[in-house]
Amino acid sequence: MIDEALVDSDGNGIQFFGDGLVCGLKKIDGQANVFLLRTEIVLERETQVAPEPGQFYMLRSKKSSAYFGRPISVYRSKVFSENGKRKIELQFMILEKGTGTKELCQMLPGEKVVLSGPMGNVFHAPDCADGKVEICIVGGGIGVAPVANFASSLKNGSYDFFASFRSGSYGLDYVNPRELFITTDDGSQGIHGMLSAALTAGKIRDAGYKYIFACGPEPMLAYVQNVAHEAGVKAYLSLEHRMLCGAGACLGCTIQTDEGTLRVCKDGPVFDSGIIHFAEPSPRKNPLPENVEPDLSVEICGVHFKNPVIAASGTFGYGQNFRGLSDVGAWGGISSKGTTLEPREGNPGERSIEVASGDINSIGLQNPGMKEVVEKIVPEMMKLDSVIILNVAGHDLLSYVEAVRLADSTDVKMIELNISCPNVKAGGQAWGMVPEAASECVSAVRAVTKRPLIVKLTPNAPDLRAVARACIDAGADALSLVNTFLATAIDIEKGKPFFENIRAGLCGPAIKPIALRMVYDVVEEINRMPEEKRVPVIGIGGIEKWQDAVEFIMAGASAVQIGSAVFANPNVARDVCDGLKSFMKRKGYNNIEDFRGIAQAKN
């Protein structure tokens, strides 16, 4: 279906896509993370439209690391002409929340922002009886921006305005209501409390309101929906949602309504509240008391870790490389460089290349061999204030067994078995690709060590669940996953593969969603096994911040390993632990087990 409303008589689009010039950015007084961004766009055609109250633009910094724009409602707009060009000045009130909004909130005058819009439908002013205030406008937090824009389009004194904030107030400069009600969670302004302290069904009836227009966080909107229904008045709610295109094409920002699945970007963002199905709110725990600190320690196979953050094998050497850059003791554990029985020189040619959100590498397990590691390197590792895990690799059963036998003679707490290595008898296919080979390797190694044995799985196995079960049946005490994904790169100037081995390993933030899914799947499979056979899982793959670690733990991981993120941020272990601690305190989690696996579907 063609939307004729989006083009002019010549078939040209009436919306804008292009660069805007940043005219100014200022932090809102009294707010830690709310900013006002002013930008200016030059329209290409007279038929291109200006935004109306309720509409939004997709925004991103021109030099952004974010791939998609962020939907930001218009707070204020002005159309003017200058030097024969038609321009629009746009003001956006932005809450700094994630990567995209953080970049927008750090822009400087003269820099470029990429915009597309205006998008979405609008607030429609109703016909009201002369002299009567029948309109109630409600804004919560950053949701004040679009309703304040709508309010400024109405006649002064023709509406009442309710603004609800955590602390202080903002976005009310152009609001001229009959009455202004402000509520704050901390009592710093107006009425102490949430919106419900000022706006109730009784208040709506007594004031004679017939229409409510609101924007804000979902719990507040659900409350407005309820009180409007109870009072018997119409309410129109402007919803927020994550978006990809903003134009209605991707169908990624849908909500459930009485009219079926609707798009927030195209069918909204303004909806009749009577048709919206809000999800049931999640149960909330009280934050931990000020004098109570959450416990980050975990126990895996009887081994105590002071925190669940482990340096992944292959990215942290043998624990010494980063000592001059960061506090190595911040790690709960350190998994050594993959070590083979005999020394290895590694792969020839180029070994690494940066790609979008990660890297592809072809190191080839370069290491000095197990004998030297056992005699000279492990004793130095044991001086570090972290649990030491010795990662062992091999190419045939004998090399695995003898390497583990030597590793067993050390004081390391655990051994991690890398079964992503090529099995020469299987034509180079990794030991972890099929259950039978994985079982054979784990069984052989299990026979020569009584130390806790972690088996590191490859994500390239056709049936990872089956491989995980086979490893557990063969004697694995824990599983770590995932290793790197097979990938390749082409040198377009030379017209040949970048790596001599053609295929190499992809890692970094790019793989996190897939790695998380695999951890979720394996934990789900383990939970189906008899309780006595269940083993802990250590999640690996693209973890770079505390939120990533929380996701893996909620998926069921007992701990996480962090790899390539340490190259970009040597303090990543400290930062992740600090973030975990703050998150746990805010959510009321006393320890890691309080939220481990809570995202697993309950059978």
Side-chain angles (χ1 to χ4, degrees), residues 459 464 481-482 485 506 509-521 540-541 552:
L464 192 59
L481 63 148
V482 295
F485 287 77
L506 173 66
I511 73 169
K512 191 210 94 177
I514 312 173
L516 180 64
R517 189 268 299 170
M518 291 180 165
V519 167
Y520 190 98
D521 287 351
I540 317 170
F552 276 84

Side-chain angles (χ1 to χ4, degrees), residues 146-474:
V147 289
N149 189 23
F150 174 56
S152 67
S153 70
L154 302 177
K155 182 180 177 181
N156 290 352
S158 64
Y159 58 90
D160 286 346
F161 200 102
F162 292 75
S164 186
F165 304 94
R166 288 186 177 181
S167 181
S169 65
Y170 54 87
L172 305 175
D173 296 344
Y174 306 105
V175 171
N176 293 288
R178 181 188 65 175
E179 285 193 79
L180 173 63
F181 303 89
I182 296 175
T183 71
T184 51
D185 291 357
D186 63 1
S188 54
Q189 281 195 38
I191 302 168
H192 189 181
M194 295 186 290
L195 178 65
S196 56
L199 184 66
T200 63
K203 169 70 175 179
I204 294 169
R205 284 190 293 263
D206 293 344
Y209 302 139
K210 290 186 177 179
Y211 308 95
I212 300 176
F213 299 87
C215 184
E218 187 171 305
M220 187 201 85
L221 294 183
Y223 173 77
V224 171
Q225 180 191 56
N226 289 334
V227 294
H229 176 75
E230 185 180 343
V233 303
K234 294 288 290 184
Y236 298 92
L237 311 180
S238 177
L239 304 188
E240 295 180 345
H241 206 292
R242 290 183 178 88
M243 295 180 188
L244 299 179
C245 71
C250 71
L251 305 178
C253 62
T254 57
I255 60 168
Q256 298 305 309
T257 74
D258 289 346
E259 298 175 3
T261 300
L262 297 180
R263 302 160 296 178
V264 172
C265 69
K266 191 71 173 177
D267 303 309
V270 181
F271 294 92
D272 182 332
S273 73
I275 70 169
I276 300 172
H277 298 174
F278 285 114
E280 288 294 323
S282 300
R284 299 183 63 180
K285 295 182 68 174
N286 292 324
L288 296 181
E290 283 296 322
N291 62 341
V292 175
E293 290 298 316
D295 179 10
L296 265 62
S297 68
V298 296
E299 188 169 294
I300 302 174
C301 307
V303 177
H304 179 82
F305 291 75
K306 62 187 174 188
N307 66 60
V309 184
I310 303 168
S313 172
T315 60
F316 211 70
Y318 291 95
Q320 308 298 331
N321 302 73
F322 288 94
R323 290 183 71 186
L325 298 172
S326 63
D327 178 12
V328 175
W331 296 88
I334 297 171
S335 184
S336 77
K337 181 81 180 73
T339 306
T340 53
L341 181 63
E342 302 296 336
R344 285 180 61 102
E345 288 299 318
N347 291 335
E350 294 287 353
R351 290 189 172 188
S352 64
I353 184 172
E354 183 175 357
V355 294
S357 295
D359 70 274
I360 306 174
N361 64 79
S362 179
I363 310 302
L365 288 172
Q366 179 176 334
N367 73 93
M370 188 60 77
K371 187 173 185 297
E372 181 172 337
V373 168
V374 166
E375 292 177 357
K376 298 179 181 180
I377 296 178
V378 167
E380 293 302 312
M381 289 188 76
M382 296 305 298
K383 296 176 184 178
L384 302 175
D385 186 26
S386 303
V387 172
I388 303 304
I389 303 167
L390 192 50
N391 182 282
V392 178
H395 63 279
D396 59 21
L397 279 182
L398 181 61
S399 66
Y400 268 116
V401 169
E402 291 307 314
V404 169
R405 197 189 305 275
L406 285 172
D408 192 64
S409 68
T410 69
D411 293 329
V412 297
K413 296 291 187 182
M414 310 179 88
I415 294 172
E416 184 176 47
L417 191 69
N418 177 7
I419 60 172
S420 300
C421 301
N423 177 352
V424 292
K425 289 186 178 180
Q429 177 177 263
W431 283 93
M433 288 293 286
V434 295
E436 296 77 15
S439 177
E440 182 182 15
C441 187
V442 174
S443 295
V445 165
R446 178 78 281 173
V448 297
T449 181
K450 287 185 168 47
R451 293 185 189 278
L453 182 65
I454 306 167
V455 179
K456 188 172 185 177
L457 305 184
T458 171
N460 304 304
D463 188 349
L464 192 59
R465 291 173 182 255
V467 172
R469 286 196 308 269
C471 290
I472 294 171
D473 290 338

